[in-house]
Amino acid sequence: MRQDTTFKFYQNTDINVVPLIRGGHKRVYVLSAPKTDGVVLYGNDYLIDFDKTNQIASVKRIHNSLISASAGDKSDTAKTVLEFIHSHVEGKEPFMTATDICTTMLYQHLTTWKQSIVISKNYVSIWDCDKRLMFVLTMDAWKKIAGDQSSKKPQ
């Protein structure tokens, strides 16, 4: 993989390879992994699908970039971060991806996060770390809940 120009490697990162076989369909998720403690990496991830003869059928880059997030300091309540938020650019996945969820679940025990949130143009995906549940809101609903006054017309 290091010789293949499809895959990008960043300094102080490695990869986690996650093979899945479901209903005879074979695929591999490739996730960026930190080589340093206290860091959670989102993005620079790939999905490889295989055909029935175990040849690569397709390789899809899920996120275009790599985001480095601090896991926080669980011993210092003044530095407690209850959520991690990142956005997806238009033209990519409008919802939280499987790799976003896997990364959050993999590193949650090292963080103080209660939620992981992905914001796109039309949707907000929220992963509840404790309940291991995701729910999706439209951007309009998110703005109403947040009390966004910018969408209201002046009286």
Side-chain angles (χ1 to χ4, degrees):
M1 289 178 73
R2 291 196 184 272
Q3 311 317 337
D4 188 330
T5 58
T6 303
F7 302 97
K8 187 168 183 176
F9 289 86
Y10 291 85
Q11 188 175 2
N12 295 320
T13 68
D14 209 341
I15 57 170
N16 287 322
V17 178
V18 183
L20 297 172
I21 300 174
R22 179 179 279 162
H25 186 92
K26 299 171 189 168
R27 55 183 15 178
V28 171
Y29 284 96
V30 179
L31 309 172
S32 289
K35 286 186 176 179
T36 56
D37 291 338
V39 175
V40 179
L41 300 176
Y42 285 90
N44 191 44
D45 43 5
Y46 306 85
L47 174 59
I48 306 169
D49 281 303
F50 292 85
D51 65 19
K52 292 180 182 181
T53 64
N54 295 323
Q55 299 299 309
I56 294 175
S58 67
V59 178
K60 175 185 174 188
R61 189 168 188 180
I62 299 171
H63 292 91
N64 288 335
S65 60
L66 182 68
I67 298 171
S68 175
S70 171
D73 184 353
K74 289 187 98 164
S75 65
D76 187 349
T77 56
K79 293 182 180 178
T80 298
V81 177
L82 297 178
E83 60 193 18
F84 172 71
I85 302 173
H86 75 278
S87 62
H88 284 178
V89 296
E90 194 168 353
K92 286 302 222 176
E93 297 292 331
F95 308 109
M96 186 175 288
T97 65
T99 57
D100 290 329
I101 295 169
C102 289
T103 299
T104 301
M105 290 176 71
L106 183 62
Y107 295 103
Q108 175 194 347
H109 71 284
L110 301 173
T111 74
T112 56
W113 303 343
K114 298 296 180 194
Q115 296 180 331
S116 179
I117 300 172
V118 171
I119 298 174
S120 66
K121 180 179 179 184
N122 296 313
Y123 300 97
V124 176
S125 305
I126 303 170
W127 175 260
D128 184 304
C129 296
D130 293 331
K131 295 178 184 172
R132 294 185 173 208
L133 293 173
M134 182 177 80
F135 55 98
V136 177
L137 300 170
T138 64
M139 184 56 72
D140 289 340
W142 174 259
K143 287 178 179 179
K144 285 178 186 174
I145 291 169
D148 183 4
Q149 301 299 314
S150 63
S151 61
K152 293 184 180 180
K153 293 181 183 178
Q155 305 252 342

